[in-house]
Amino acid sequence: MTAALVNRISCLPPVLDASAAARARARLAPEVYSAWSEADGFLDGVFSNAPYLSRLARRHQDVLAALSRGDPETLCNEANADALAAADEDGEAGIMAGLRQAKAKLHLTAALADLAGAWDVETVTGALSDFADAACRGALRGAAQLTGFDVGNDPANPVRGVFLLALGKHGAQTLNYSSDIDPVALWEPELAEPPPGKEPRRAFAKLIQTTARLLSEITADGYVFRVDLRLRPDPGSTPVAVNATMARRYFEALGQNWERAAYAKARYCAGDAGAASAFLADLEPFIWRRTLDFAAVADIRALARQIQSVGDRADLISPGHDLKLGRGGIREIEFYAQVLQLVFGGRRPALRQRDTVKALGALADADLIDSGEAVALVDHYRFLRAAEHRIQMLQDEQSQTLPHDDVSRAHVAALMGWEDLAAFDADVERRLRAVHQAFSTQFEDDESLATPAGSLVLTGVEPTPDTLATLQRYGFSQAGRVWTKLAGWAAGKAKAARSPRARALFSRFAPRLVEALGETGDADAAFTRFAAFFEGLPSGVQVLSLLINHPELTRELMTVLGQAPRLAQTLGQRPAVLDVMLDPAFATPLSEDDPRIHAQRFEALCRLEFEPALNAARCIVREEKFRIGAQLLLRRATASQAARAFSSLAEASVIAMSQVCEQEVARRHGPPPGRWAVIGLGKLGGRELSADSDLDLVVVFDAEAELSSGSKPLGPEAWFARFTQRLIAALSAPTEEGELYEVDLALRPDGNQGSVATRLARFEKYYADEAWTYERMALTRARVIAASPGFAPCVDAAITEAAMASFDADAIRRDAADMRARLERDRPAKSIWDLKLRPGGLIDIEFIAQTGQLAARRSFSPTTREALESLATAGLLNREDLGVLMSAAEDYGAVTGLLRVAHGSGFDPEEASRPFAERLAVAAGCADLEGLVIRLDSHARSVRRLFEAYVGVSADSGDG
């Protein structure tokens, strides 16, 4: 049980004015003071410094006496109950009196618990906010009775379909003693019923007007809360009670960025809780946008600058400083947290904290801010909130400003536990400076129309000589043409820059753009790609705001656009992919990824319907492919790490889509009449996928029933064929979000002539009696990707048995050599950069690994390089030859991985930018492209020599 307050006093405010303490004693009954016994010195310190609390104690001596023997938690609960019960008092005057007496009880209790050190800041603000909820509920119920509504039995929900949302500090549950409350009143037209014969709009407006009056009207007992109803949607043209359907439409079509920030703190406080919960759920996509919206951030920045530029608020001295709105004050800490919440909260639900302290903790946990800075800001926030409270305890004034005069400010200091005013002032100023330093670091926003290399003026009919010189210094060979394009964008001659806001943002961004383009080493090529990207944007405000706020992102974007046309095309078509570059995970090396990162991203898909799941999967894959590809391009990952990541992503996609498709087929035809497995072969099986690889899949099943049990039952062949067709569509069919992967089922038993889904028994028989050598070779890279529970081991065993059966080793090698000769004849390499098909290329290395395993009847690994290493360990491959093959495979993989990320399957070095050519050469340890060509040719000769030694030469390459 919680102890009485007198036994929990840990802070003793000094008595600065003994006569004031004596006057306070004289106004109280002696038995009340004596009940506090040895703790009466605490009361002297409080009442001598806080006249408002002294007056409260005089008028409510019963509360003071109760606190001498009881705990503040119980008294606060009683005050909340009194506020709810006030609705049942006689008439309007009775309701008002009940609410105001409950407030006085709550304030006196909370303030004494606060000053005694029994409660921390969060407990105090929580108690004040809980009381505000209770007062709103009591006032709403009282108003419903006064205005003729049929009041239900639930005291918290007097009128079905009508509810109040708390915003601001009330919504965040961080009210102070003199806070306004900003409720938003809404009513659901399908649920709410007005009194008989009353028009709904007017009836609900009268209900809310009466509710507000019960709370805010000043009587002999004072007031409960000042009520501000202006945060409702479109307050200039809507009644005080808003139709919830209209509100939804408003936020969807016209909602402003400041409203996103305001409603991020919205929560239910009174009325119909179920209706409120549904409304807030509908509002989530408006508030927490998955696509990062830096236009909102820019608006908040502008508001922050207005706040700190007003009058004395810009000073950093204690006397007269506004602890809420002034520089280094509470609002700066709130903005510091809320901007990052709005930016990342759409993608990270854990950041959606209404309370500033919790928000700072969540941001630190997400590595979005330094944990040490978060701890410091929380400490400063609590100090400033405590000081704010004590300012209000002086006279119950709605103020957060430290008094100018030393005497009044000394009383605030005393209530904070300070006897030395100078020391208190110094501590306040130290904290204000620390907060403002953190705030300024995040909100520094003073771009000029100049670059480090000179001026950049984009107005007028022709460029200034200085501007042309600046562009030339950054490496633009056609500075006049570049200026014309930049000036055109600044004037709105692109769809992305047509709005005034977009033009203003572009003018601020242009210097940074020019600088970043110059840093790519090939400004002309990079600018051409940026122009294609920028002019393809439907709107530029969000993208420009994002780039302005993140200079490093701008540099990385220029690298991507300048070196990787394939990634540039993705960005041009889906600008929201830029969000990926801003997420902290983008800068985390692939080697540090959680092994389940891709599986976790797909986990929620099974809860979606079929079409939404397909679209969600495509968004995930597009974003992850971009992240992996960019990490490779930006040298944060090796080619082998990227291949593993691309393979992990594809594997997670197949697993998720298999589950979704099983559910979809089961929905109409019942659960599967047996078990199934999806086998991955080729580069998917070997975990060697590149950015544009297709997926080689085989679906096998084992029937356990003659028919499924659904409303439209199917036999096993039909059920699993339907499942496989769904899976192919889920993976490869285009939707509004694009495609996932191309899928190839050609390696299934009987090829394109066979069923799309194969019985396990047929799979085993086919490979025992009928399969060609190339099909058995393919099985060395096969592994189960997705399967019914418990079925994967059976399929794995069948794969191993089929691949490792007794064969004539010489026949295997002859067949492999013949097949390689046919490939060179029928599918010749398109250029020397076709490192897969060129003689001595990747296929030669793969054939050596595959035939070696088949001939030895030992399955080592579906990954080529691991299989080669195992062959050497087993004495089946010369160690020196292993080194040659591994070196070639590593360089082939590095070059191929980059080419597929940046250019796709086609690559012409004449069209590549100079920085990309350099990046490509460095990937294989060469100084330039010419050196890389020499190195690749050398690898090809060595690999072909080893292919002929370990596999052989086709006996008849003419007709195969």
Side-chain angles (χ1 to χ4, degrees):
M1 186 173 182
T2 306
L5 180 59
V6 294
N7 298 320
R8 294 160 63 185
I9 297 172
S10 61
C11 298
L12 197 66
V15 177
L16 301 184
D17 185 343
S19 61
R23 288 194 299 273
R25 276 180 177 258
R27 292 174 181 138
L28 294 172
E31 61 270 18
V32 173
Y33 238 98
S34 63
W36 281 71
S37 185
E38 296 177 0
D40 61 353
F42 166 72
L43 297 182
D44 288 340
V46 171
F47 297 148
S48 67
N49 289 298
Y52 167 59
L53 298 182
S54 179
R55 293 195 299 272
L56 272 184
R58 186 172 71 250
R59 291 199 299 269
H60 301 279
Q61 297 189 42
D62 58 325
V63 175
L64 192 60
L67 281 170
S68 70
R69 58 182 181 274
D71 62 88
E73 290 80 7
T74 298
L75 265 69
C76 284
N77 290 336
E78 291 175 0
N80 293 343
D82 292 345
L84 282 171
D88 298 321
E89 298 291 340
D90 290 336
E92 184 174 289
I95 296 171
M96 286 187 177
L99 288 169
R100 282 149 183 77
Q101 289 163 11
K103 175 206 172 178
K105 182 176 186 177
L106 185 286
H107 265 208
L108 183 57
T109 301
L112 291 176
D114 183 356
L115 294 170
W119 284 3
D120 59 19
V121 170
E122 285 89 338
T123 305
V124 173
T125 58
L128 294 169
S129 303
D130 288 345
F131 175 77
D133 289 355
C136 285
R137 291 169 190 172
L140 181 62
R141 182 176 177 82
Q145 293 172 156
L146 293 172
T147 54
F149 281 84
D150 182 12
V151 176
N153 295 324
D154 183 355
N157 182 21
V159 181
R160 184 169 175 261
V162 176
F163 56 91
L164 301 182
L165 300 179
L167 273 70
K169 281 186 165 58
H170 185 193
Q173 296 179 290
T174 59
L175 280 179
N176 58 45
Y177 291 95
S178 298
S179 288
D180 290 351
I181 59 172
D182 305 283
V184 174
L186 299 111
W187 54 278
E188 288 288 0
E190 296 83 5
L191 299 175
E193 295 183 4
K198 301 292 185 180
E199 193 273 324
R201 176 178 164 130
R202 292 183 179 179
F204 295 124
K206 186 176 181 181
L207 170 66
I208 300 308
Q209 288 165 343
T210 305
T211 302
R213 188 173 70 254
L214 291 175
L215 291 168
S216 61
E217 189 168 296
I218 299 175
T219 71
D221 295 310
Y223 66 97
V224 188
F225 290 103
R226 288 173 293 269
V227 178
D228 189 343
L229 297 169
R230 291 174 297 173
L231 288 182
R232 66 187 185 274
D234 197 11
S237 59
T238 56
V240 293
V242 183
N243 182 312
T245 300
M246 185 283 295
R248 291 183 181 91
R249 291 172 183 161
Y250 169 83
F251 286 121
E252 182 178 347
L254 301 170
Q256 304 297 303
N257 285 321
W258 69 266
E259 290 171 310
R260 287 181 58 204
Y263 280 79
K265 296 184 182 296
R267 66 176 178 86
Y268 159 79
C269 71
D272 192 327
S277 177
F279 181 82
L280 288 172
D282 291 342
L283 219 58
E284 274 198 7
F286 164 69
I287 301 169
W288 305 109
R289 296 178 184 173
R290 193 171 185 279
T291 299
L292 305 182
D293 182 358
F294 277 83
V297 179
D299 286 349
I300 294 172
R301 288 173 183 272
L303 179 57
R305 288 196 299 274
Q306 292 173 19
I307 288 170
Q308 60 181 320
S309 65
V310 178
D312 293 339
R313 293 175 183 166
D315 297 331
L316 275 172
I317 57 173
S318 177
H321 196 81
D322 188 327
L323 297 183
K324 177 181 178 181
L325 303 180
R327 184 169 291 183
I330 295 165
R331 184 62 60 86
E332 288 193 0
I333 301 175
E334 292 171 341
F335 272 122
Y336 179 98
Q338 192 167 39
V339 168
L340 293 172
Q341 285 180 285
L342 287 173
V343 172
F344 294 103
R347 300 165 67 86
R348 298 185 178 196
L351 300 181
R352 301 175 190 177
Q353 304 288 342
R354 301 183 188 94
D355 176 281
T356 298
V357 169
K358 292 178 181 177
L360 289 167
L363 291 166
D365 290 343
D367 292 328
L368 292 170
I369 61 175
D370 179 75
S371 59
E373 185 161 79
V375 170
L377 286 173
V378 166
D379 179 57
H380 298 322
Y381 179 80
R382 287 171 172 156
F383 177 91
L384 294 172
R385 289 303 306 271
E388 173 190 50
H389 290 169
R390 283 143 183 78
I391 291 168
Q392 294 164 356
M393 289 174 187
L394 299 183
Q395 297 296 345
D396 190 28
E397 293 176 339
Q398 189 182 19
S399 173
Q400 302 87 24
T401 300
L402 283 168
H404 279 280
D405 68 282
D406 289 352
V407 173
S408 297
R409 199 168 67 262
H411 287 308
V412 176
L415 293 173
M416 291 286 289
W418 294 76
E419 293 190 57
D420 185 336
L421 178 60
F424 170 75
D425 286 343
D427 192 41
V428 169
E429 291 163 13
R430 175 186 67 82
R431 292 176 182 275
L432 295 174
R433 283 191 295 271
V435 170
H436 187 64
Q437 177 61 44
F439 176 83
S440 298
T441 300
Q442 185 186 132
F443 287 94
E444 192 65 43
D445 199 15
D446 296 322
E447 287 87 1
S448 70
L449 287 178
T451 74
S455 65
L456 184 70
V457 180
L458 300 179
T459 58
V461 294
E462 60 183 19
T464 66
D466 286 347
T467 295
L468 288 177
T470 298
L471 293 171
Q472 288 165 353
R473 289 189 197 101
Y474 279 113
F476 294 97
S477 62
Q478 296 179 303
R481 182 184 67 84
V482 172
W483 179 88
T484 299
K485 184 74 78 173
L486 291 172
W489 293 341
K493 295 180 181 178
K495 186 162 52 176
R498 283 179 184 166
S499 71
R501 180 165 178 74
R503 292 195 294 273
L505 288 169
F506 180 77
S507 293
R508 292 169 56 197
F509 174 61
R512 189 174 298 162
L513 169 64
V514 168
E515 183 181 358
L517 290 168
E519 289 175 355
T520 66
D522 194 343
D524 290 325
F527 179 74
T528 298
R529 298 198 189 283
F530 179 81
F533 161 72
F534 187 70
E535 291 179 344
L537 292 173
S539 171
V541 171
Q542 292 184 13
V543 171
L544 289 168
S545 298
L546 186 154
L547 295 173
I548 286 170
N549 283 277
H550 289 79
E552 182 59 30
L553 173 63
T554 301
R555 286 189 284 273
E556 292 185 347
L557 175 62
M558 293 309 118
T559 298
V560 169
L561 293 174
Q563 297 187 25
R566 192 170 182 274
L567 294 179
Q569 183 180 23
T570 299
L571 281 170
Q573 294 171 343
R574 308 280 181 174
V577 172
L578 278 174
D579 295 356
V580 177
M581 297 184 72
L582 193 61
D583 193 297
F586 181 77
T588 303
L590 293 181
S591 59
E592 297 178 16
D593 275 354
D594 185 318
R596 283 185 42 79
I597 183 172
H598 296 128
Q600 289 167 350
R601 290 207 64 184
F602 281 98
E603 279 178 353
L605 265 63
C606 290
R607 296 191 291 271
L608 301 177
E609 294 184 1
F610 187 66
E611 293 296 335
L614 265 58
N615 283 323
R618 281 149 177 76
C619 291
I620 293 170
V621 168
R622 180 169 58 245
E623 291 177 356
E624 279 298 298
K625 278 190 172 183
F626 184 88
R627 180 179 77 95
I628 297 165
Q631 288 232 4
L632 179 58
L633 188 71
L634 297 169
R635 306 187 192 187
R636 294 193 183 120
T638 65
S640 60
Q641 289 168 344
R644 288 268 178 175
F646 281 129
S647 302
S648 167
L649 175 63
E651 183 169 342
S653 303
V654 172
I655 293 170
M657 290 297 93
S658 297
Q659 294 169 346
V660 167
C661 291
E662 181 183 48
Q663 292 173 3
E664 178 65 10
V665 178
R667 184 176 61 84
R668 297 190 64 189
H669 304 292
R675 299 180 296 173
W676 55 267
V678 181
I679 302 170
L681 302 97
K683 291 193 179 298
L684 173 60
R687 297 184 176 89
E688 298 167 344
L689 287 182
S690 58
D692 62 350
S693 295
D694 59 7
L695 306 184
D696 292 304
L697 303 177
V698 171
V699 178
V700 298
F701 68 93
D702 188 21
E704 296 177 334
E706 293 184 2
L707 287 173
S708 60
S709 59
S711 58
K712 296 182 179 180
L714 294 175
E717 281 77 7
W719 200 101
F720 289 109
R722 187 73 55 87
F723 164 75
T724 304
Q725 290 161 350
R726 282 284 188 182
L727 178 59
I728 296 168
L731 290 169
S732 60
T735 72
E736 59 263 37
E737 291 294 343
E739 301 176 358
L740 278 182
Y741 297 95
E742 291 186 18
V743 176
D744 191 344
L745 298 180
L747 290 176
R748 68 187 185 274
D750 300 308
N752 292 330
Q753 304 303 313
S755 171
V756 292
T758 305
R759 280 184 181 266
L760 181 60
R762 172 58 184 154
F763 178 89
E764 293 170 330
K765 184 177 186 305
Y766 179 83
Y767 279 100
D769 302 330
E770 306 169 40
W772 295 82
T773 296
Y774 79 87
E775 292 175 303
R776 301 185 197 283
M777 290 170 63
L779 279 189
T780 64
R781 308 184 75 188
R783 62 188 178 92
V784 175
I785 302 297
S788 299
F791 193 40
C794 301
V795 179
D796 278 329
I799 292 171
T800 301
E801 183 177 351
M804 299 300 111
S806 178
F807 305 117
D808 183 328
D810 290 337
I812 289 170
R813 295 190 180 96
R814 284 196 303 272
D815 288 347
D818 289 344
M819 183 168 59
R820 184 67 181 105
R822 285 196 299 273
L823 279 173
E824 289 182 18
R825 181 193 67 199
D826 299 336
R827 291 180 57 197
K830 298 174 183 177
S831 72
I832 63 168
W833 300 103
D834 190 344
L835 300 181
K836 176 181 178 181
L837 292 175
R838 68 175 290 183
L842 280 167
I843 282 187
D844 284 18
I845 299 175
E846 291 169 358
F847 274 29
I848 293 171
Q850 292 164 19
T851 56
Q853 291 177 91
L854 288 178
R857 297 180 60 195
R858 295 176 68 180
S859 178
F860 291 119
S861 172
T863 301
T864 300
R865 276 181 264 183
E866 292 177 3
L868 290 171
E869 181 69 45
S870 296
L871 284 168
T873 300
L876 303 172
L877 180 66
N878 180 278
R879 276 284 169 188
E880 184 177 341
D881 294 341
L882 171 67
V884 171
L885 293 172
M886 295 291 273
S887 176
E890 183 175 354
D891 287 344
Y892 286 168
V895 172
T896 299
L898 267 176
L899 288 178
R900 295 301 178 89
V901 161
H903 289 265
S905 58
F907 173 65
D908 182 351
E910 297 298 323
E911 296 179 0
S913 65
R914 179 172 53 82
F916 179 73
E918 294 172 354
R919 173 73 182 90
L920 196 63
V922 168
C926 299
D928 51 33
L929 210 58
E930 183 178 346
L932 176 59
V933 170
I934 294 171
R935 185 176 181 85
L936 294 177
D937 286 344
S938 174
H939 281 321
R941 288 191 297 271
S942 299
V943 169
R944 176 44 62 100
R945 174 179 56 80
L946 294 176
F947 176 86
E948 293 174 352
Y950 284 97
V951 179
V953 179
S954 173
D956 184 3
S957 60
D959 57 44

